[in-house]
């Protein structure tokens, strides 16, 4: 039978086949527990080292099988590893782990040999598995695929292999929430326990009152990581002070921002961290029932969360009389249908109740009257995942990192036109330049940086002149942006900012619940104006040109009206992409409006195509590819494009070998 950390560790601790000793709380909270503390501590340390893989008896292979890894082919890599081991009759443990964060080099495989440090390899496909395993299991590190080795004070390092924590992607990071992601097996509770898991919950239940927990979280300076940035401890205190036998805790895992995948990665890689944070939060506010509202498009995260809840219940860490105390907590998973508006907390509550996800006016706030009319606290995944470490290390530890008004760390999903995409966690106050150029590796293909979209569809675009801004709640507001949940999309010089605004406005308009007129109709009008700005003259008729210009004149005023009169936070922040791009890229708008030109050459309708007669060899490929029959010419003679018939599809550019087609 497999050993565990919270099995009775000496005969005197055991009272029956399904019962732990009365000092189990202290076992988890501080180590040696009861009757024979010396032998207990020694045995517990031995088990912890085995579960943390400080000591391995045979080679251990770790495969990153988070969603990003699976998308890159990790499932086939895993099958190839298992097949190779079987074919060569080699004994090795194969462990599936979550995402370590560096998605751009997936699939990732790590190998640990007895007595040696763990080494991470990048871009390991099913074709490269045999060569990698032959060398790695023989003690040779193939330099071409090595990403780095983990640092370990008691294991022998590999000569000539760089340390992973010195890699430009990882070196500037402060990994607190992501500490276990990609390291532990997310399906094994004992591995989480070996890394200090549920120690904070045990301390809280043994030594702290709910009010003291609320106060500790408030002193830490933790603010909501879902976008609003409201002080978490204060929100808990409000709910804790409300009377009534029934209260609820809700975890918002409805990650709807385009380009955001922070919550998904945390749940896939370290689900027990979220469950422990939820248990502490529920104890602090007096809740006996909690919900995880998660989008159904996250099947792997849901599967691992369901498994983790089952494990925790079996071991007395969830359910009735948690760790032998009078505290009870039931956690229910509620799958959302992917509506962006359900990320708004009151719409989310309506969805859990079985109603249509539509926001309602506040007050009353959910902490006063929320789910089923009862006091309810809503926190997102990252907020709750910070809680165990705060209660374990103390509020001063958490508050020691960050800025005056924004403490701790923030997880960002780094995507777009960036060399190293992935999940990063940095201390509050880190500059945007450090994230984009130091961690992300800058813009690929030698192109110039243009802007970063931060905070999702309701956020704003930060241009080059503000690249050195510190990432915190207050600083971002000064440049017309917001923290949001943590999506960070990088754009290069080939990106049209008018097109970006149109994309996000289209997204917001489609995701509007339609309850209030400013959001429902106002965002539609804004989208129509942006569509008119990017429309060519040939596609206009009647009074279209006049209406286009009238819309342009009213664009900013319309945006301000929507901000001032919409019902919920989604509608109030809906115009932000337009306002921020207008603020910093007005010249691009003017080029679209007055010259009907797209400086970035991204708006297809505004592009004009012509053929350079000096380059054209008359091969006829463009003539054959043109769907509008807008190209004329004879073989071996220069061709030309009839502008009136051209639909700006770009097919001619794609097929032209001598690069004779010019786009302006």
């Amino acid at each position: 039978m497999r050993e565990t950390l919270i099995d009775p560790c000496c005969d005197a601790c055991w009272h029956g086949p399904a019962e732990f000793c009365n000092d189990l709380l202290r076992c988890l909270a501080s180590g040696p527990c009861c009757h024979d503390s010396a032998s207990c501590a020694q045995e517990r340390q031995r088990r912890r080292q085995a579960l943390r893989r400080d000591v391995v008896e045979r080679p251990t292979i770790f495969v990153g099988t988070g969603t990003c890894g699976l998308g890159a082919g990790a499932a086939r890599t895993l099958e190839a590893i298992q097949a190779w081991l079987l074919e060569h009759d080699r004994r090795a443990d194969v462990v599936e782990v979550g995402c370590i964060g560096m998605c751009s080099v997936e699939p990732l495989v790590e190998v640990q040999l007895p007595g040696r440090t763990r080494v991470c390899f990048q871009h390991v496909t099913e074709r490269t598995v045999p060569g990698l395993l032959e060398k790695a299991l023989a003690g040779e590190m193939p330099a071409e695929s090595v990403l780095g080795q983990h640092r370990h004070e008691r294991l022998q390092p590999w000569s000539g292999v760089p340390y992973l924590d010195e890699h430009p992607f990882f070196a500037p990071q402060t990994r607190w929430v992501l500490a276990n992601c990609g390291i532990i097996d997310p399906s094994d509770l004992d591995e989480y326990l070996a890394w200090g898991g549920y120690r904070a919950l045990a301390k809280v239940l043994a030594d702290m009152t709910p009010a003291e927990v609320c106060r500790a979280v408030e002193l830490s300076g933790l603010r909501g990581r879902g976008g609003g940035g409201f002080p978490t401890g204060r929100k808990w205190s409000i709910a804790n002070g409300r009377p009534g036998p029934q209260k609820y805790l809700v975890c918002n895992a409805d990650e709807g921002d385009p380009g955001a995948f922070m919550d998904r990665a945390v749940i896939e890689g370290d689900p027990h961290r979220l469950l422990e944070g939820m248990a502490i939060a529920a104890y602090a506010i007096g809740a006996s029932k909690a919900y995880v509202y998660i989008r159904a498009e996250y099947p792997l995260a849901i599967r691992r969360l369901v498994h983790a809840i089952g494990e925790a219940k079996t071991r007395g860490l969830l359910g009735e009389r948690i760790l032998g105390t009078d505290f009870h907590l039931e956690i229910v998973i509620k799958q959302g249908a992917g509506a962006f508006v359900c990320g708004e907390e009151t719409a989310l509550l309506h969805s859990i109740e079985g109603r249509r996800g539509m926001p309602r006016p506040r007050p009353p706030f959910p902490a006063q009257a929320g789910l089923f009319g009862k006091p309810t606290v809503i926190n997102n995944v990252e907020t709750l995942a910070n809680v165990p470490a705060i209660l374990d290390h103390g509020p001063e530890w958490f508050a020691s990192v960050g800025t005056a008004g924004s403490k701790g760390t923030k997880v960002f999903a780094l995507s777009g036109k960036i060399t190293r995409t992935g999940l990063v966690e940095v201390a509050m106050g880190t500059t945007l330049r450090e994230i984009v150029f130091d961690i992300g590796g800058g813009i690929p293909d030698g192109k110039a940086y243009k802007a970063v979209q931060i905070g999702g569809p309701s956020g704003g675009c930060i241009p080059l002149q503000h690249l050195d801004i510190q990432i915190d709640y207050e600083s971002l507001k000064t440049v017309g942006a917001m923290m949001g949940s943590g999506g960070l999309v990088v754009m290069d010089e080939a990106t049209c900012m008018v097109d970006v605004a149109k994309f996000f406005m289209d997204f917001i308009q489609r995701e509007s619940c339609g309850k209030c007129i400013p959001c429902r109709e106002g965002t539609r009008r804004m989208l129509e104006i942006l569509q008119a700005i990017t429309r060519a003259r040939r596609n206009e008729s009647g009074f279209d040109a006049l209406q286009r210009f009238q819309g342009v004149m009213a664009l900013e005023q319309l945006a301000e009206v929507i901000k001032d009169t919409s019902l919920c936070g989604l509608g109030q922040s809906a115009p932000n992409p337009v306002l921020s791009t207008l603020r910093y890229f007005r010249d691009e708008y003017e080029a679209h409006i007055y010259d009907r030109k797209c400086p970035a050459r991204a708006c297809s309708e505004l592009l004009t195509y012509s053929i350079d007669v000096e380059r054209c060899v008359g091969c006829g490929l463009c003539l054959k590819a043109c769907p509008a029959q807008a190209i004329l010419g004879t073989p071996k003679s220069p061709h030309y494009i009839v502008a009136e018939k051209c639909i700006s599809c770009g097919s001619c550019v794609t097929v032209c070998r001598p690069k004779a087609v010019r786009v302006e």
Side-chain angles (χ1 to χ4, degrees), residues 126-141:
E126 55 185 326
R127 290 186 297 178
T128 61
V129 161
L132 172 66
L133 293 184
E134 285 175 6
K135 290 184 178 181
L137 297 184
E140 301 176 26
M141 294 295 112

Side-chain angles (χ1 to χ4, degrees), residues 199-499:
R199 186 169 58 201
L201 176 62
K203 287 182 178 180
V204 164
L205 296 182
D207 302 323
M208 299 179 73
T209 66
E212 288 173 336
V213 176
C214 294
R215 180 60 178 161
V217 173
E218 189 169 358
L219 288 173
S220 73
L222 176 65
R223 297 172 63 173
R225 297 303 198 246
F230 191 83
T232 304
R234 195 185 309 167
K235 181 187 288 189
W236 291 9
S237 296
I238 295 171
N240 174 262
R242 301 293 295 181
Q246 182 64 63
K247 299 176 185 178
Y248 294 101
L249 172 73
V250 175
C251 171
N252 183 356
D254 189 58
E255 196 169 43
D257 292 358
F261 48 92
M262 302 77 61
D263 296 348
R264 186 200 73 206
V266 170
I267 295 173
E268 289 176 355
D270 196 7
H272 282 287
R273 181 183 294 271
L274 172 61
L275 296 183
E276 183 177 8
M278 290 183 68
I280 293 171
Y283 173 78
I285 68 173
S288 58
K289 191 167 185 177
Y291 289 85
V292 179
Y293 189 87
I294 183 169
R295 56 200 304 110
E297 295 94 331
Y298 285 175
L300 179 60
I302 293 170
R303 189 162 63 247
R304 289 184 175 172
L305 198 56
V306 168
H307 178 79
I309 291 173
E311 277 191 306
K313 280 185 176 180
T314 301
R315 306 284 282 279
L317 297 166
L318 285 178
E320 300 292 322
R321 295 187 55 79
I322 294 174
L323 292 175
T325 68
D326 294 329
F327 174 49
H328 315 288
L329 179 63
E330 177 189 3
I331 296 182
V332 177
I333 295 177
K334 171 68 175 179
Q335 296 186 40
F340 179 68
V341 72
C342 285
E344 197 278 336
E345 58 182 22
T346 59
L348 181 153
L349 296 180
H350 285 164
S351 182
I352 293 176
E353 292 170 348
R355 297 188 282 167
R356 183 178 177 183
M358 299 181 75
R360 63 165 173 81
R362 296 172 295 177
F365 293 94
Q368 301 166 321
L371 192 62
F372 305 113
K374 306 297 183 183
T376 305
V377 163
I378 305 168
N379 291 127
N380 87 323
V381 171
E382 187 183 345
T383 307
L384 292 165
N386 270 296
V387 170
I390 292 173
L391 273 300
D392 191 20
H393 299 292
E396 299 81 8
W397 166 82
F398 187 83
S400 67
V401 169
T403 63
S406 302
K407 303 297 186 182
T409 63
K410 181 72 188 78
V411 180
F412 289 99
L414 191 58
S415 61
K417 303 298 180 66
I418 190 78
T419 301
R420 292 190 285 264
T421 59
L423 209 62
V424 304
E425 184 176 4
V426 295
M428 290 284 194
T430 302
T431 66
L432 191 59
R433 185 184 297 274
E434 290 177 88
I435 296 175
V436 173
F437 288 95
D438 295 344
I439 297 176
I443 315 300
D445 303 323
K447 293 187 176 179
Y449 167 93
K450 192 167 194 177
V452 158
Q453 170 76 14
I454 187 169
S458 301
C461 295
I462 302 179
L464 180 64
Q465 60 263 40
H466 294 301
L467 195 55
D468 290 309
I469 190 171
Q470 289 187 328
I471 298 293
D472 63 38
Y473 292 98
E474 288 73 29
S475 297
L476 291 175
K477 291 178 182 177
T478 65
V479 294
M482 60 184 290
M483 184 80 72
S485 58
L488 204 157
V489 183
V490 182
M491 292 167 276
D492 65 13
E493 60 186 307
T495 305
C496 172
M497 303 311 295
V498 179
D499 191 53

Side-chain angles (χ1 to χ4, degrees), residues 48-126:
R48 181 173 283 111
Q49 288 179 348
L51 289 164
R52 289 169 59 114
R53 296 188 175 84
D54 295 336
V55 178
V56 295
E57 297 179 354
R58 56 176 174 262
T60 304
I61 303 169
F62 306 86
V63 184
T65 55
T67 296
C68 52
L70 293 173
R76 295 189 297 274
T77 299
L78 178 62
E79 290 175 2
I81 290 171
Q82 293 168 333
W84 188 91
L85 293 173
L86 184 63
E87 180 184 350
H88 292 80
D89 195 25
R90 296 292 298 270
R91 294 189 63 198
D93 293 328
V94 180
V95 182
E96 294 186 48
V97 296
C99 176
I100 201 171
M102 200 169 174
C103 305
S104 57
V105 295
E106 296 277 10
L108 287 167
V109 172
E110 298 185 349
V111 177
Q112 182 178 357
L113 302 183
R116 307 299 296 269
T117 57
R118 183 167 160 176
V119 182
C120 182
F121 300 93
Q122 59 187 332
H123 298 303
V124 183
T125 65
E126 55 185 326

Side-chain angles (χ1 to χ4, degrees), residues 6-27 33-36 324:
I6 57 174
D7 276 343
C9 47
C10 58
D11 291 339
C13 293
W14 186 244
H15 295 296
E19 184 182 351
F20 296 117
C21 70
N22 293 330
D23 289 324
L24 177 60
L25 272 177
R26 198 144 53 88
C27 276
C33 58
C34 45
H35 312 281
D36 187 353

